[in-house]
Amino acid sequence: MADSVVLDPVDLHLLRLLQNDARTTYRDLAAQVGVAPSTCLDRVTRLRRSGVILGHRLRLDPAKLGRGLQALLSVQVRPHRRELVGPFVERIRALPEARSVFHLTGPDDYLVHVAVADMADLQRLVLDEFTARREVARVETRLIFQQWECGPLLPPGHAQS
């Protein structure tokens, strides 16, 4: 892969730690990894510049914000043409209910993760923001009962620890 970055064991350890808690100080990271704080700062800076670390995000509990119902919407767009992809995706990304949008292969063109207040809000969203669009041929809704985070993302061949 041309875009891959070569990571040594120290880089991998830093990435594991930061994915578990991105607020960890450089001093604490350095102590856990066994390098000087200045070395730790240099390495994290290099990982950011190379695009391995894309940013830091604050995760919120949708239920505590009044959005206790989450769903995955499988969306089929017809015609599925390049000139429709950009505007469709930008419109969906602008919706306050939208959490993630995936462009897919297979019978569905998009998978959209949404968080809404309740079933009535989900119905309004599907009818007013999806099926009302001319290019949307079909929407299939799946409710999310529970969601789990997975382990840190590492390059192939590196075991989780």
Side-chain angles (χ1 to χ4, degrees), residues 13 15 35 90 115 128 141 150 159:
H13 197 177
L15 291 173
V35 297
E90 289 312 308
D128 295 347
T141 304
C150 297

Side-chain angles (χ1 to χ4, degrees), residues 9 13 20 26 32 38 42 52 60 67 71 84 86 91-92 95 104 106 110 116 121 131 144-145 155 157-158:
H13 197 177
N20 288 330
Y26 290 116
Q32 292 180 61
S38 60
D42 290 345
V52 172
L60 303 174
R67 296 181 182 279
L84 294 177
R91 174 66 191 131
I92 299 311
L95 295 172
L104 309 172
Y110 298 94
V116 295
D121 196 25
T131 60
I144 299 173
F145 290 138
H158 294 276

